[in-house]
């Protein structure tokens, strides 16, 4: 026998550590699913990955036109187009993970009813796909930086950290939603509304100084505000570090752990209800 | 758990909560798909799980595969499990065969390098090498099945769980896959089958009968299968006769203008119940209404799964056709020690105008023009007119042959010889050629 692993199946859910180990064992499946999604998404299209750039590009044009030229909104000392693009960078990454991740378990209902694998692999694979889309948005950022002669900050070395928190926030929402909606799916209908609402309580379109200085902490009750501001802090040297980033990012960590905890509890029930 | 046990199931229960509907335990919406079952499967064993629909077979397999969790109890599985509950599960139609091999392999927990090791074998066995980079959606059904089966059969699992997957392919696929499965069994892999096709299961080494979520029997003998089948037949209203029987009512069979069947009889002399060590006589009494045609008879004996065990016909005996009108009785005598300890069904076939058969044999042209089936007119067909079961008896000894896992439709006593051989008689064969 090649491998003498023993599997013990009981009614108890896995411990979180065991579950993490299982996910690690199936890590290649994460990239295989991501590759599948990318291939299938752009199969039988002429432009292929080129379509990925279309969405942020149109967003950039429309929002810049309306908010900057029509409404004359200001962004603390940054060209408005750059402000918006860096805001959308973090927000779109987050929202891609949320929307794709939320549907990922149901999308694979056929498979999870027939073959066991740790279900967390499904939203994790969507993170990889979201990363591909994110890097395409970065390609859009470069010509804008040159056009506005905006120098990059040395703090871009912190991008991986902010990316991590961005991912954790997305996964937190996915895990919590999935864990609470495997039986009754109402929550999956509610989340899109929350997301539409969320983009307006996150400094994506307007600068956070529309609130008076002593009330600015309100922004950071939303961890995504810290993530989006964190992106700008990493990229632009004239952007200030706010000490409030830290509790907000800590909040996203707690949310993620809560999500993972809940997801693990119900992970084996997905196949019965999917 | 001892090292030679592959699967051990202890006090396993699974309860489904019905979202709306009736319940089985009275006071709640609970449906106990499995209640408190325990059994063990040894390494290298091939197991068939049978039972009526809703007895919990698929649920059990899903728990063994880790797909759903039990409500209580423990399952221990030694080694890597292949869950083949649906042969095409996990495939993506837009991806190529090549990509799907890696997709399926990864879903079953193999790393890319492990899959690469088996890649060539998988493609070779599937026989679709020229199309391996085509999207799977363009494959024919057969190509798809062969690829899917090939992937599962070549990846290195220790335990294989199959749920009704072989009823889908064509004859060639079935043949290929059975051969490959036998290879797996021979190399010491453990296999578990859920199937309704009893013929498919008859080669297993352990049988588990599930009923209403409980293991009602677990045995090494395929007798379990036949008994299960026989019981199902009786439940459906058909009688299995175990002793002499005389039938006079044929209203449920098609009628004919030229023939009227009056009586059908199956009997053994001075016998309470049919036993294998006595002659069995089949008699059929019929009236020939007109004298235009010649009539001959054939009997077809099938097992209860419908497989033909034997055919016999009066045509093999000369001058046994009936011509003019009147009452006739055909009698066929099955010898003692001929049937096995199974249930059988008899069908009767009347053959008219068999004269043509003789002429066809001499004039080969007419055969090729009309086809053999046109030469014979089967006028009247009493399908499954009697279902009967033999009881194994062997005069003089008390050998319980029915406890042996012997297959086959018949158990004829053939001539056997045993002769003592002197070593010197054999030895010359092994002798070396004398050297100078």
């Amino acid at each position: 026998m090649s491998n003498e692993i023993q599997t013990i199946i009981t009614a108890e859910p896995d411990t979180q550590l065991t579950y993490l180990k299982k996910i690690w064992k199936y890590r290649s499946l994460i990239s295989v699913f991501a590759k599948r999604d990318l291939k299938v998404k752009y199969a039988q299209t002429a432009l292929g990955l080129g379509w990925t750039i279309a969405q942020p590009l149109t967003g950039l044009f429309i929002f810049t036109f309306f908010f900057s030229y029509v409404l004359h909104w200001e962004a603390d000392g940054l060209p408005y187009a750059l402000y918006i693009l860096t805001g959308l960078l973090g927000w779109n990454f987050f929202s891609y993970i949320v929307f794709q991740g939320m549907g990922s378990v149901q999308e694979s209902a056929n498979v999870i009813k027939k073959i066991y694998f740790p279900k967390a692999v499904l939203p994790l694979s969507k993170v990889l796909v979201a990363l591909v889309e994110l890097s395409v948005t970065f390609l859009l950022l470069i010509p804008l930086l040159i056009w506005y002669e905006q120098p990059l900050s040395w703090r871009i070395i912190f991008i991986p950290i902010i990316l991590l928190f961005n991912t954790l926030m997305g996964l937190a929402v996915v895990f919590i939603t999935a864990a609470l909606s495997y039986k009754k799916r109402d929550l999956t209908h509610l989340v899109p509304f929350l997301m539409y609402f969320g983009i307006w309580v996150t400094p994506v379109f307007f600068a956070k100084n529309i609130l008076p200085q002593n009330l600015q902490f309100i922004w950071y009750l939303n961890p995504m505000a810290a993530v989006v501001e964190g992106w700008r802090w990493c990229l632009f040297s004239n952007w200030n570090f706010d000490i409030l980033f830290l509790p907000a990012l800590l909040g996203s960590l707690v949310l993620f752990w809560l999500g993972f905890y809940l997801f693990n509890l119900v992970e084996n029930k997905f196949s019965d209800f999917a | 758990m001892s090292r030679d046990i592959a699967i051990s199931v202890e006090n396993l229960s699974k309860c489904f909560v019905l979202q709306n509907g009736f319940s089985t335990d009275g006071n709640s919406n609970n449906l106990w798909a499995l209640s408190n079952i325990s059994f063990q499967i040894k390494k290298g064993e091939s197991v068939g799980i049978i039972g009526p629909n809703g007895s919990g077979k698929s649920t059990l397999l899903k728990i063994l595969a880790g797909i759903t969790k039990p409500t209580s109890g423990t399952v221990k599985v030694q080694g890597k499990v292949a869950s083949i509950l649906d042969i095409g599960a996990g495939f993506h139609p837009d991806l190529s065969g090549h990509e799907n091999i890696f997709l399926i392999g990864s879903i079953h927990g193999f790393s890319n390098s492990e899959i690469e090791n088996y890649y060539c074998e998988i493609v070779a066995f599937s026989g679709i090498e020229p199309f391996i980079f085509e999207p799977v959606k363009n494959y024919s059904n057969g190509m798809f099945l062969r690829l899917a089966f090939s992937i599962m059969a070549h990846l290195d699992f220790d335990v294989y769980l199959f749920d009704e997957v072989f009823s889908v392919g064509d004859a060639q696929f079935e043949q290929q896959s059975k051969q490959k499965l036998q290879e797996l069994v021979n190399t010491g892999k453990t296999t578990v089958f859920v199937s309704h096709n009893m013929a498919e299961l008859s080669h297993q080494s352990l049988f588990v009968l599930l009923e209403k979520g409980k293991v009602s029997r677990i045995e090494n003998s395929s007798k379990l299968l036949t008994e299960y089948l026989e019981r199902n037949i009786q439940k459906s209203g058909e009688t299995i006769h175990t002793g002499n029987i005389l039938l006079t009512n044929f209203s449920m069979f098609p009628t004919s203008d030229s023939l009227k069947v009056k009586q059908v009889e199956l009997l053994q002399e001075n016998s309470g119940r049919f036993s294998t060590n006595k002659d069995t006589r089949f008699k059929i009494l019929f009236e020939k209404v007109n004298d235009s045609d010649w009539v001959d008879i054939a009997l077809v004996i099938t097992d209860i799964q419908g497989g033909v065990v034997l055919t016999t016909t009066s045509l093999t005996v000369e001058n046994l056709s009936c011509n003019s009108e009147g009452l006739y009785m055909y009698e066929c005598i099955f010898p003692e020690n001929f049937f096995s300890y199974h249930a059988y069904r008899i069908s009767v076939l009347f053959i008219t105008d068999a004269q043509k058969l003789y002429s066809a044999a001499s004039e080969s042209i007419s055969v090729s023009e009309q086809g053999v089936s046109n030469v014979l007119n089967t006028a009247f067909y009493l399908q499954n007119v009697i279902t009967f079961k033999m009881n194994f008896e062997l005069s003089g000894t008390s050998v319980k042959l029915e406890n042996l896992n012997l297959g086959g439709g018949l158990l004829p006593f053939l001539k056997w010889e045993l002769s003592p051989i002197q070593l010197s008689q054999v030895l010359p064969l092994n002798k070396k050629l004398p050297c100078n």
Side-chain angles (χ1 to χ4, degrees):
Chain A
M1 296 289 126
S2 56
N3 35 12
E4 276 303 313
I5 37 162
Q6 195 191 54
T7 322
I8 297 175
I9 301 163
T10 61
E12 302 302 313
D14 295 324
T15 64
Q16 291 186 59
L17 186 67
T18 324
Y19 194 49
L20 278 176
K21 278 184 191 159
K22 280 187 183 172
I23 295 171
W24 178 249
K25 211 187 130 235
Y26 279 81
R27 64 190 178 280
S28 67
L29 186 55
I30 299 175
S31 60
V32 169
F33 273 148
K35 271 186 216 156
R36 176 195 70 178
D37 283 358
L38 284 170
K39 270 187 186 138
V40 169
K41 193 170 173 188
Y42 299 112
Q44 298 186 354
T45 62
L47 274 186
L49 210 59
W51 282 112
T52 311
I53 211 159
Q55 198 209 355
L57 194 65
T58 45
L60 182 69
F61 274 119
I62 292 167
F63 294 134
T64 311
F65 178 75
F66 273 100
F67 296 139
S68 181
Y69 290 92
V70 179
L71 297 173
H72 301 290
W73 284 5
E74 299 283 328
D76 315 314
L78 264 188
Y80 193 76
L82 268 181
Y83 184 83
I84 257 200
L85 188 63
T86 48
L88 286 176
L89 205 71
W91 182 266
N92 281 349
F93 183 65
F94 167 71
S95 97
Y96 190 92
I97 296 175
V98 169
F99 282 114
Q100 296 297 309
M102 233 167 45
S104 62
V105 176
Q106 270 186 46
E107 183 188 61
S108 296
N110 273 333
V111 190
I112 63 179
K113 279 169 168 290
K114 304 288 181 191
I115 305 164
Y116 171 79
F117 58 89
K119 267 53 121 194
V121 159
L122 292 165
L124 284 171
S125 75
K126 301 294 181 187
V127 172
L128 286 191
V129 181
L131 271 177
V132 173
E133 314 245 323
L134 181 73
S135 31
V136 173
T137 316
F138 261 104
L139 292 180
L140 208 59
L141 187 64
I142 294 166
L144 275 186
L145 287 172
I146 298 169
W147 174 262
Y148 289 108
E149 292 170 357
Q150 183 75 34
L152 274 181
S153 163
W154 60 272
R155 296 185 298 235
I156 52 171
I157 57 167
F158 290 112
I159 283 181
I161 294 176
I162 211 71
L163 193 58
L164 175 71
F165 281 105
N166 206 342
T167 309
L168 292 184
M169 268 310 288
L171 287 176
V173 176
V174 171
F175 284 157
I176 293 173
T177 320
L180 299 181
S181 67
Y182 73 92
K183 227 185 258 181
K184 295 267 184 254
R185 294 182 183 158
D186 300 69
L187 197 57
T188 56
H189 295 281
L190 186 64
V191 168
F193 291 107
L194 294 178
M195 292 293 287
Y196 284 127
F197 177 69
I199 198 167
W200 294 104
V201 297
T202 307
V204 174
F205 300 126
F206 41 76
K208 61 183 189 305
N209 59 13
I210 61 166
L211 283 181
Q213 192 66 39
N214 55 347
L215 287 181
Q216 286 212 355
F217 72 91
I218 292 177
W219 288 118
Y220 294 108
L221 294 178
N222 165 18
M224 269 314 288
V227 169
V228 166
E229 282 293 286
W231 272 108
R232 295 190 180 117
W233 176 78
C234 287
L235 292 167
F236 309 119
S237 44
N238 61 347
W239 216 255
N240 294 325
F241 185 82
D242 194 324
I243 194 71
L244 290 171
F245 284 180
L246 296 177
L249 293 180
L250 193 71
S252 68
L253 213 58
V254 172
L255 278 178
F256 172 76
W257 178 81
L258 176 73
F260 186 71
Y261 171 79
L262 293 173
F263 191 82
N264 179 39
L265 281 188
V266 303
E267 116 99 37
N268 56 67
K269 298 203 171 80
F270 287 127
S271 60
D272 291 350
F273 289 92
Chain B
M1 190 160 102
S2 83
R3 290 197 62 79
D4 62 335
I5 299 292
I7 299 172
S8 133
V9 175
E10 280 166 50
N11 305 323
L12 189 73
S13 297
K14 173 74 179 179
C15 173
F16 287 108
V17 180
L18 299 178
Q19 277 155 344
N20 33 46
F22 54 89
S23 59
T24 49
D25 63 353
N27 50 7
S28 65
N29 278 346
N30 292 346
L31 182 109
W32 289 91
L34 294 172
S35 47
N36 209 19
I37 69 168
S38 303
F39 61 90
Q40 290 195 327
I41 295 171
K42 289 199 198 81
K43 274 183 191 165
E45 205 149 33
S46 51
V47 185
I49 299 180
I50 55 170
N53 284 332
S55 58
K57 304 184 299 284
S58 294
T59 305
L60 176 61
L61 226 54
K62 279 188 169 186
I63 292 175
L64 296 183
I67 296 164
T68 110
K69 285 257 179 184
T71 309
S72 65
T74 314
V75 175
K76 290 179 192 160
V77 184
Q78 197 82 32
K80 209 163 166 44
V81 178
S83 52
I84 312 170
L85 309 193
D86 179 357
I87 194 114
F91 270 81
H92 201 291
D94 280 322
L95 298 182
S96 70
H98 169 87
E99 287 158 340
N100 267 304
I101 293 178
F102 284 89
L103 177 61
I104 300 299
S106 308
I107 293 178
H108 281 93
F110 288 92
S111 68
N112 273 351
S113 60
E114 283 173 301
I115 301 166
E116 268 158 25
N117 286 343
Y118 306 113
Y119 182 81
C120 293
E121 288 174 59
I122 293 172
V123 176
F125 182 84
S126 71
I128 55 158
E129 204 167 354
F131 313 103
I132 199 71
F133 292 106
E134 281 293 307
V136 161
K137 63 181 172 188
N138 297 341
Y139 284 13
S140 74
N141 223 356
M143 289 158 73
F144 176 73
L145 279 176
R146 279 202 300 276
L147 178 63
F149 179 80
S150 182
I151 295 174
M152 296 313 291
H154 289 91
L155 292 174
D156 188 26
F157 295 101
D158 301 305
V159 177
Y160 293 78
L161 309 173
F162 296 93
D163 192 354
E164 301 275 0
V165 284
F166 293 102
S167 42
V168 286
D170 61 4
Q172 193 205 345
F173 168 73
E174 213 180 298
Q175 193 53 41
Q176 264 186 322
S177 54
K178 276 197 180 135
Q179 230 172 337
K180 187 72 202 167
L181 277 178
Q182 195 52 49
E183 264 177 63
L184 292 177
V185 172
N186 293 347
T187 50
K189 311 280 187 181
T190 312
T191 53
V192 180
F193 286 87
V194 163
S195 181
H196 284 109
N197 183 352
M198 298 296 154
E200 209 171 78
L201 291 179
S202 54
H203 304 295
Q204 313 299 314
S205 60
L206 182 72
F207 300 90
V208 180
L209 173 60
L210 277 184
E211 277 173 313
K212 291 180 183 155
K214 293 194 171 70
V215 176
S216 58
R217 285 173 71 183
I218 177 162
E219 275 175 34
N220 289 107
S221 156
S222 63
K223 211 172 69 170
L224 185 80
L225 290 185
T226 42
E227 284 176 15
Y228 171 70
L229 273 174
E230 284 163 24
R231 218 184 48 201
N232 281 354
I233 286 173
Q234 278 163 326
K235 269 187 197 162
S236 70
E238 193 177 335
T239 336
I240 298 179
H241 300 284
T242 53
N244 293 355
I245 160 80
L246 175 72
L247 293 181
T248 50
N249 179 10
F250 303 95
S251 56
M252 64 280 229
F253 295 104
T255 52
S256 154
D257 295 335
S258 55
L259 276 172
K260 286 197 166 39
V261 177
K262 300 285 186 192
Q263 273 185 16
V264 170
E265 197 177 5
L266 188 72
L267 77 155
Q268 290 185 335
E269 262 169 52
N270 52 38
S271 164
R273 60 175 188 172
F274 292 141
S275 49
T276 51
N277 63 345
K278 283 180 186 155
D279 286 351
T280 313
R281 284 162 187 274
F282 177 85
K283 295 178 183 176
I284 181 161
L285 180 71
F286 62 96
E287 186 186 353
K288 201 164 178 303
V289 180
N290 55 29
D291 45 20
S292 58
D293 290 329
W294 290 72
V295 168
D296 283 272
I297 193 171
L299 295 184
V300 179
I301 297 198
T302 59
D303 57 27
I304 44 179
Q305 295 159 45
V308 176
V309 173
L310 67 90
T311 52
T312 177
T313 169
S314 62
L315 283 167
T316 53
V317 183
E318 256 183 272
N319 303 323
L320 219 62
S321 310
C322 43
N323 180 13
S324 51
E325 61 175 60
L327 274 176
Y328 292 94
M329 180 184 311
Y330 270 119
E331 186 170 353
C332 175
I333 301 140
F334 298 98
E336 57 180 12
N337 298 328
F338 176 74
F339 284 113
S340 186
Y341 39 81
H342 301 151
Y344 299 92
R345 285 197 183 107
I346 300 183
S347 300
V348 182
L349 197 68
F350 285 101
I351 302 162
T352 57
D353 256 356
Q355 295 304 316
K356 278 187 190 166
L357 193 67
Y358 297 114
S359 58
S362 52
E363 303 164 34
S364 57
I365 305 155
S366 65
V367 176
S368 60
E369 273 177 357
Q370 300 178 327
V372 178
S373 57
N374 290 343
V375 173
L376 286 177
N377 282 325
T378 52
F380 199 46
Y381 195 41
L382 296 176
Q383 190 161 20
N384 300 335
V385 63
I386 292 179
T387 306
F388 66 99
K389 183 171 163 59
M390 284 288 167
N391 185 52
F392 185 76
E393 263 172 53
L394 188 56
S395 18
T397 67
S398 58
V399 181
K400 291 234 177 287
L401 267 186
E402 63 264 49
N403 288 350
L404 277 176
N405 202 350
L406 293 175
L410 297 173
L411 185 54
F413 284 16
L414 302 178
K415 197 175 175 194
W416 281 88
E417 282 177 0
L418 174 70
S419 29
I421 302 287
Q422 298 298 319
L423 197 59
S424 58
Q425 286 174 271
V426 185
L427 213 56
L429 296 172
N430 298 333
K431 248 185 196 166
K432 280 182 185 174
L433 285 171
C435 316
N436 298 343

